[in-house]
Every structure is written in structure tokens, then in C-alpha cells.
Amino acid sequence: QVQLQESGPGLVKPSETLSLTCTVSGGSIGTYYWSWIRQPPGKGLEWIGYVYYTGSTNYNPSLKSRVTISVDTSKTQFSLKLSSVAAADTAVYYCARHRAYCSGGSCYDYFDYWGQGTLVTVSS
Amino acid sequence: DIQMTQSPSSLSASVGDRVTITCRASQGISTYLNWFQQKPGKAPKLLIYAASSLQSGVPSRFSGSGSGTDFTLTISSLQPEDFATYYCQQSFSTPQTFGQGTKVEIK
């Protein structure tokens, strides 16, 4: 059974960089895309970006200038860095695995495994 | 970005009721539509992918339908464990976006 676990500081000061790591166990990190998704308290879900096991990335344009996602296949981990944080970045941060279902020439992408989430608060 | 709009935002229902939640995309997304269930303090759980495919292990009382811009999640007979918030999500284009959620509460 694949498991994902987020780790990192729960409190970050404004203007500093938020850094989180997701450790994957029970399965390979190879051949999959891996995403970060966040949810402000009491609000909806926002996709931040993904990394492929090769290291290629794709980010949400709304956060692109501040986001870096990387992968370390030897440690079966991938990481998120979000710079210049503000109070609006306070959220539960989830890591998740992409899975693709292919049928009739089309491939449908979905998040099949998620971490439990970690609350990051931006405050001085 | 593709905007996903769910209706209603919340609903009250009784155990055994048939419940329908609607999701509308701001542009056509074929069947690149997923549904998730989220309980308080927990990560979202995949219910339906590709608009109508039931994720392994999910009870058959959950079903999804639709194509293009209009989609539906149906719970045929609401169970106590189904009281939660439900989100739709499009994977047609980047950035992938979610609906604002529909909270299903006990009547």
C-alpha cells in the first residue's frame, strides 16, 4: 500500500521560504507524477504544481514565480519550496500521486493517493 | 484557468435519501472530471475519475455522469458515513482546478 507523508515546519515567518518534503513509501516514485495541493482553513483546494520522477515540473501560473518542486528518487521524496510567503499562504499542504487511466486514445489524470496533510501557518 | 462551479454549496439530507451534486465547467472538458470526498481533518478521497469510473474500493452507491461542461455525482442511498464535503476537479488543462465544494449535512 502506497503511503505519502508530509514533513516540515508548521510555522513560517512572513517573507521567508516555506519548505516541505513528502516521503513516499510502499511503492516506487518512478514513472509517476507527484503534486502539491493546498487548502486554506475552511476553504477549497488549490493545485500548486507537480514534478515527474525525471525532474520535469509544471506549476500553477498563480504561484509560479515563487514555487520550486524537486524530486530525490534515491530517497523516494519530493519537495516543495514556496518563497516570500504571506498570511494568505497559511494552509494545509497535501502531497499526492497522479495516476493515469487511458482509454480510447485519451489518458485521464487523477490523484489516487494523498498524504494526511500538514498545516503551515505564516505568522511572525 | 477553467472555473469549476458546484451546486448546491450545501445540502441537508436524511439517511437513505438520493443525493445529486452538480458541477459545471467554464469550458468543455470532455470527461476529464474527478470527484473527491473530504471529511473534517482528513485528506480528500478519490471517488470517481474520468467522469464515471468508480475508484476501486468505493461503494457502488456512488456514481458519476456527464461530459463537456455539465457533470453530476449521485449517491443513490445516503449512508451515515457519507456526510462530508464533495469536490469536483478538472484534469483537462493546467492548472488543474477544483470546485468550491458541496457540504452534505444531516437533516
Side-chain angles (χ1 to χ4, degrees):
Chain A
Q1 179 77 346
V2 175
Q3 292 187 318
L4 287 73
Q5 178 68 58
E6 304 90 350
S7 59
L11 180 64
V12 181
K13 290 182 169 55
S15 80
E16 296 189 344
T17 296
L18 177 160
S19 295
L20 295 174
T21 296
C22 182
T23 301
V24 180
S25 60
S28 171
I29 203 167
T31 73
Y32 291 102
Y33 290 82
W34 303 89
S35 269
W36 288 97
I37 297 155
R38 69 180 183 178
Q39 185 172 36
K43 296 188 177 180
L45 298 154
E46 180 182 32
W47 174 74
I48 299 169
Y50 69 61
V51 62
Y52 193 41
Y53 78 102
T54 58
S56 65
T57 56
N58 195 346
Y59 302 137
N60 191 323
S62 68
L63 298 168
K64 187 174 183 177
S65 64
R66 299 193 291 130
V67 172
T68 303
I69 299 176
S70 59
V71 64
D72 185 336
T73 55
S74 66
K75 295 181 179 179
T76 64
Q77 293 178 334
F78 61 105
S79 299
L80 168 69
K81 290 188 186 300
L82 181 65
S83 63
S84 304
V85 297
D89 295 310
T90 293
V92 174
Y93 286 77
Y94 295 101
C95 56
R97 189 182 82 168
H98 290 246
R99 187 75 184 268
Y101 161 71
C102 297
S103 174
S106 297
C107 287
Y108 303 89
D109 183 24
Y110 54 92
F111 303 113
D112 63 345
Y113 286 102
W114 296 62
Q116 64 186 22
T118 186
L119 174 63
V120 179
T121 301
V122 178
S123 175
S124 55
Chain B
D1 297 5
I2 296 176
Q3 305 302 314
M4 307 300 293
T5 303
Q6 291 180 230
S7 60
S9 295
S10 65
L11 64 90
S12 295
S14 300
V15 172
D17 284 352
R18 181 181 182 88
V19 169
T20 299
I21 298 169
T22 297
C23 177
R24 175 164 289 176
S26 60
Q27 65 185 75
I29 59 170
S30 183
T31 54
Y32 291 82
L33 191 285
N34 306 314
W35 288 99
F36 295 88
Q37 175 194 67
Q38 187 178 34
K39 296 182 179 179
K42 300 294 186 182
K45 172 188 174 183
L46 178 69
L47 299 175
I48 302 286
Y49 60 93
S52 61
S53 295
L54 190 68
Q55 171 68 346
S56 176
V58 174
S60 58
R61 62 181 179 272
F62 291 94
S63 64
S65 64
S67 179
T69 60
D70 294 314
F71 301 87
T72 299
L73 173 69
T74 299
I75 309 172
S76 61
S77 178
L78 197 66
Q79 297 302 300
E81 60 268 30
D82 300 338
F83 292 95
T85 300
Y86 294 83
Y87 292 94
C88 62
Q89 176 242 337
Q90 65 82 16
S91 59
F92 179 79
S93 67
T94 297
Q96 298 191 15
T97 48
F98 294 83
Q100 82 280 13
T102 295
K103 187 173 184 178
V104 176
E105 299 176 300
I106 302 172
K107 181 182 277 186

